[in-house]
Amino acid sequence: MKRNILNLLGLKDLIKDNHLPSLYLGNSVVYGSGLSFRSFSPIDGSKGIEFKSLEKREITHTIDVLKKEFITWQEVPAPKRGELIRHLSNILRENKHSLAYLVTLESGKIFEEALGEVQEFIDVCDFALGLSRQLYGLSIVSERYRHKMIEQWHPLGVVGIITAFNFPMAVWAWNAVLALVCGNTIIWKPSSQTPLCAIACHILLQKALALMPELPQNISSVIISNRKISEVILRNKDVRLISATGSVKMGKEIASKVSVRLARLLLELGGNNAMIVTPSADIELSIRAILFSAVGTAGQRCTTLRRLFVHKSVFEEVKRKLLLSYNSIKIGNPFSKDVLVGPLINKGSYENMQNSIEKAISQGGKLIYGGNRIRKNVPRGGFYVKPAIIKINHNAKIVQEETFSPILYLVEYEDFDEVLKMHNSVPQGLSSAIFTQNVKESELFMSSIGSDCGIANINIGTSGAEIGGAFGGEKDTGGGRESGSDSWKNYMRRVTNTINYSDDIPLSQGIKFE
Ligand code: UN1
């Protein structure tokens, strides 16, 4: 790793004996004392900085401190908590390029998309700032004379956040800034592929806190560790909500550990997102949307387009134009300006991709584009692939699975009702899209008998959601909603108050008890 990268955001000052700290709690750090481990850049496989593994008790201690700090933090007026997030968003604006640099370095996404990710971070900060003056409940009429009911929202406590490599900053931000504005303290376990991104986010939050020294300073923490050690977070009774992003498999493991202690869960798991291109679709627009949704972030977004249903009347045209546009994509170093597709995250991901392609072929699919590894004109040591297109029948078993790489299953359909059924016939339910000019089709798609996903788009691709909407999905996707709309309610507890201002004590339901 080049030393100058660590100059960014003051990370260099933290290095001791070639190691960065593994635990960050407010302004204090712990270096760890166990075995050393390090991340790799997916760009060329170059080694990142080293970390030492933590002891479980160090994580428990962190949760204890966060629990204590919560007592003061929850009483800071919410608009004041919002002011902290305003400082953070100003700092982010000043450091946008450095942050995007770290995102590209560790996740391998192209720099333009990394800038987009930092922008998403800034956007959700702005949203949270506004929210800090809008954490309102209801007033409800009472059935009793001179009584009223109100509903209030109070902070929860310590919130645990678990994130994946593919959105190493934005997904934390969706959770963290909302949780903070709602009066909680936070503990973050990022993907071990993207430690610097996480540390940078925490350091910038501490910089914002330094501008408000009157506030409690130990409200945020980050743990760089393997899954086994960080399980402490899942099992600790003081962590009141676990918000986790990752695979369905990971989500099920987490759920089994968190549900037994009856804590709250917010899961944003895999997608197997589909788009329907109907006879009336604007083909040029749909091709552009397909391209970004299917190959953006090298097919490693949870919102990536994986299944494309095209009506038989436009099938050949869509296929031809899609192949042309796939052919024009430049694949390579994600820092290069004209590159649209960077590397896969690691070798395992490449092998999964190859496995799925083989399975698809053995199940009757026909590989009509790409799928192979590229070694020319790309940095050595990274796993660069040509995005794959596989023409396949929707009954093939592999189509039910999410492979976290750029494989697009192309399926021909004839009938609208039939395609809706195929669309909904997978275990996951995150994002979906239809390209149509037909109002009946678009309304049906959005209706209760249409797409069964958490996100259903008209004439837009499946990925690239704005922060203002609630983000998440149904079925195996886990049911959680993060980011915009009223997702903030996940990070608070609801209390119903009934107030009597009469001279009597009437019982509800007309009960007489005398
Ligand atoms: C993810 O891949 O986990 O809608 C999040 C999108 C982005 C977020 C993706 N705004 O594609």
XYZ file of all heavy atoms in Angstrom, residues 109 113 116-117 120 164 166-167 170-171 174 245-246 268-269 292 297 300-304 404 430-431 455 462-467 471 482, ligand 1:
279
model
N -14.948 -0.248 -6.974
C -15.927 0.386 -7.865
C -15.278 1.581 -8.567
O -14.317 2.171 -8.031
C -17.201 0.774 -7.135
C -17.101 1.927 -6.184
C -18.475 2.327 -5.646
C -19.123 1.286 -4.774
N -20.367 1.720 -4.111
N -18.511 6.224 -9.677
C -19.519 5.636 -8.780
C -19.138 5.848 -7.319
O -20.007 5.974 -6.454
C -19.688 4.145 -9.065
C -20.440 3.858 -10.344
C -20.798 2.376 -10.443
O -21.621 1.914 -9.646
O -20.228 1.694 -11.303
N -20.282 9.050 -6.387
C -21.733 8.911 -6.187
C -22.044 8.361 -4.809
O -22.986 8.809 -4.146
N -21.236 7.417 -4.385
C -21.468 6.843 -3.050
C -21.265 7.905 -1.966
O -22.056 8.008 -1.023
C -20.535 5.650 -2.805
C -20.554 5.251 -1.345
C -20.257 3.798 -1.048
O -19.802 3.092 -1.955
O -20.494 3.380 0.099
N -24.130 10.082 -1.869
C -25.259 9.432 -1.175
C -25.121 9.637 0.349
O -26.103 9.859 1.054
C -25.276 7.944 -1.545
C -26.521 7.220 -1.113
C -26.784 5.931 -1.896
O -26.152 5.693 -2.944
O -27.651 5.163 -1.447
N -21.647 -4.391 4.178
C -20.932 -5.201 3.189
C -19.873 -4.355 2.476
O -19.822 -3.140 2.641
C -21.934 -5.747 2.187
N -19.609 -3.660 -0.696
C -19.953 -2.983 -1.955
C -20.411 -1.540 -1.784
O -20.298 -0.745 -2.702
C -21.008 -3.797 -2.719
C -22.314 -3.863 -1.969
O -22.348 -3.761 -0.742
N -23.391 -4.032 -2.692
N -20.951 -1.216 -0.611
C -21.243 0.191 -0.300
C -20.616 0.496 1.048
O -21.299 0.579 2.073
C -22.751 0.470 -0.333
C -23.218 0.848 -1.707
C -23.471 -0.129 -2.651
C -23.330 2.178 -2.085
C -23.850 0.201 -3.942
C -23.701 2.528 -3.376
C -23.976 1.537 -4.304
N -21.855 4.431 2.241
C -23.244 4.915 2.166
C -24.198 4.095 3.029
O -25.072 4.660 3.689
C -23.723 4.937 0.721
N -24.023 2.773 3.035
C -24.986 1.961 3.783
C -24.823 2.185 5.295
O -25.804 2.246 6.036
C -24.886 0.471 3.388
C -25.737 -0.389 4.293
C -25.339 0.290 1.938
N -26.596 5.531 5.898
C -28.071 5.427 5.986
C -28.490 5.116 7.409
O -29.475 5.652 7.914
C -28.586 4.254 5.166
C -28.493 4.330 3.702
C -28.166 5.399 2.922
C -28.748 3.238 2.803
N -28.203 5.034 1.610
C -28.552 3.730 1.510
C -29.115 1.908 2.976
C -28.719 2.926 0.379
C -29.284 1.116 1.863
C -29.087 1.622 0.579
N -26.588 -5.619 6.480
C -26.665 -5.711 5.023
C -25.715 -6.806 4.574
O -24.567 -6.844 5.023
C -26.209 -4.376 4.385
O -26.961 -3.339 4.971
C -26.431 -4.366 2.892
N -26.178 -7.694 3.698
C -25.308 -8.756 3.202
C -26.132 -9.827 2.506
O -27.261 -9.572 2.071
N -31.296 -6.082 5.318
C -31.333 -5.691 3.902
C -30.423 -6.690 3.202
O -29.207 -6.527 3.171
C -30.865 -4.238 3.768
C -31.234 -3.616 2.459
C -30.080 -3.606 1.499
O -29.163 -2.795 1.656
O -30.097 -4.467 0.591
N -31.046 -7.766 2.697
C -30.268 -8.893 2.185
C -30.343 -8.948 0.659
O -30.679 -7.964 0.020
C -30.760 -10.177 2.852
C -30.851 -10.074 4.388
C -31.460 -11.318 4.998
C -29.477 -9.797 4.998
N -26.458 0.192 -17.023
C -26.021 0.662 -15.699
C -26.447 -0.320 -14.605
O -25.664 -0.662 -13.706
C -26.578 2.058 -15.393
C -26.160 2.557 -14.024
C -24.828 2.855 -13.760
C -27.082 2.698 -12.992
C -24.418 3.282 -12.491
C -26.688 3.122 -11.723
C -25.355 3.414 -11.479
N -20.965 -1.091 -10.924
C -20.331 -1.697 -9.738
C -19.976 -3.168 -10.008
O -20.006 -4.011 -9.113
C -21.256 -1.588 -8.489
O -22.027 -0.393 -8.593
C -20.465 -1.506 -7.197
N -22.090 -5.859 -8.619
C -21.979 -6.162 -7.182
C -22.783 -5.192 -6.320
O -22.347 -4.789 -5.247
C -20.509 -6.164 -6.767
C -19.684 -7.197 -7.536
C -18.196 -7.071 -7.257
O -17.600 -7.948 -6.669
N -17.609 -5.966 -7.669
N -23.951 -4.794 -6.805
C -24.889 -4.054 -5.952
C -25.994 -5.025 -5.564
O -26.309 -5.936 -6.337
C -25.557 -2.912 -6.726
C -24.650 -1.750 -7.014
C -25.480 -0.566 -7.492
N -24.612 0.488 -7.971
C -24.875 1.788 -7.852
N -25.997 2.195 -7.295
N -24.043 2.691 -8.316
N -26.597 -4.783 -4.421
C -27.743 -5.644 -4.091
C -28.900 -5.331 -5.018
O -29.810 -6.128 -5.176
C -28.127 -5.498 -2.625
S -28.420 -3.823 -2.167
N -28.846 -4.166 -5.679
C -29.903 -3.781 -6.613
C -29.569 -4.126 -8.066
O -30.307 -3.756 -8.978
C -30.133 -2.260 -6.527
O -28.847 -1.624 -6.614
C -30.826 -1.852 -5.249
N -28.439 -4.791 -8.293
C -28.022 -5.114 -9.662
C -29.116 -5.870 -10.409
O -29.769 -6.746 -9.848
C -26.732 -5.971 -9.624
O -25.669 -5.157 -9.134
C -26.358 -6.494 -11.007
N -23.345 -12.822 -6.922
C -22.943 -11.417 -6.753
C -21.849 -11.018 -7.749
O -20.725 -10.698 -7.373
C -22.501 -11.188 -5.310
C -22.940 -9.851 -4.776
C -24.273 -9.506 -4.715
C -22.002 -8.930 -4.332
C -24.680 -8.275 -4.231
C -22.394 -7.682 -3.836
C -23.745 -7.363 -3.791
N -36.153 -7.559 -3.680
C -35.629 -6.211 -3.422
C -36.107 -5.182 -4.451
O -36.986 -4.393 -4.200
C -34.094 -6.238 -3.345
C -33.433 -4.884 -3.097
C -33.930 -4.231 -1.822
C -31.915 -5.009 -3.038
N -35.528 -5.233 -5.663
C -35.823 -4.167 -6.616
C -36.357 -4.733 -7.931
O -36.065 -5.882 -8.288
C -34.561 -3.339 -6.869
O -34.859 -2.248 -7.706
N -38.992 -2.269 -4.024
C -38.778 -1.165 -4.966
C -39.336 -1.605 -6.320
O -38.978 -2.677 -6.821
C -37.274 -0.845 -5.087
C -36.705 -0.397 -3.730
C -37.011 0.211 -6.158
C -35.181 -0.280 -3.703
N -33.096 -0.937 -12.119
C -33.342 -1.458 -10.764
C -32.425 -0.852 -9.711
O -32.736 -0.891 -8.521
C -33.136 -2.985 -10.735
O -31.846 -3.270 -11.289
C -34.211 -3.711 -11.530
N -31.272 -0.331 -10.135
C -30.304 0.164 -9.149
C -30.300 1.686 -9.109
O -30.953 2.343 -9.920
C -28.906 -0.354 -9.488
O -28.492 0.194 -10.708
N -29.561 2.216 -8.157
C -29.395 3.671 -8.099
C -30.552 4.387 -7.438
O -30.953 5.469 -7.858
N -31.092 3.789 -6.377
C -32.200 4.432 -5.668
C -31.734 5.722 -4.991
O -30.583 5.837 -4.579
C -32.761 3.475 -4.621
N -32.650 6.686 -4.884
C -32.354 7.926 -4.154
C -32.542 7.671 -2.658
O -33.331 6.808 -2.276
C -33.334 9.024 -4.574
C -33.262 9.358 -6.031
C -34.328 10.383 -6.435
O -34.855 11.095 -5.570
O -34.596 10.452 -7.650
N -31.896 8.492 -1.828
C -31.985 8.247 -0.384
C -33.352 8.624 0.214
O -33.682 8.202 1.301
C -30.859 8.975 0.410
C -30.908 10.486 0.206
C -29.498 8.414 0.069
C -31.681 11.214 1.236
N -35.591 2.163 1.596
C -34.820 1.204 0.811
C -34.848 -0.163 1.475
O -34.484 -0.298 2.640
C -33.374 1.689 0.680
C -32.540 0.819 -0.219
C -32.372 1.138 -1.561
C -31.948 -0.340 0.263
C -31.630 0.323 -2.400
C -31.205 -1.156 -0.569
C -31.037 -0.826 -1.906
N -34.445 0.974 5.080
C -33.435 1.920 5.573
C -33.559 3.232 4.819
O -34.314 3.333 3.849
C -32.033 1.346 5.302
C -31.738 0.079 6.059
C -30.464 -0.596 5.577
O -30.361 -0.909 4.376
O -29.568 -0.800 6.407
C -26.479 -1.960 -1.888
O -26.082 -2.453 -2.940
O -26.386 -2.588 -0.794
O -29.894 1.747 -5.053
C -27.036 -0.585 -1.784
C -28.669 1.577 -5.163
C -27.785 2.302 -4.179
C -27.640 1.521 -2.924
C -27.259 0.093 -3.101
N -28.361 3.589 -3.883
O -28.177 0.893 -6.025
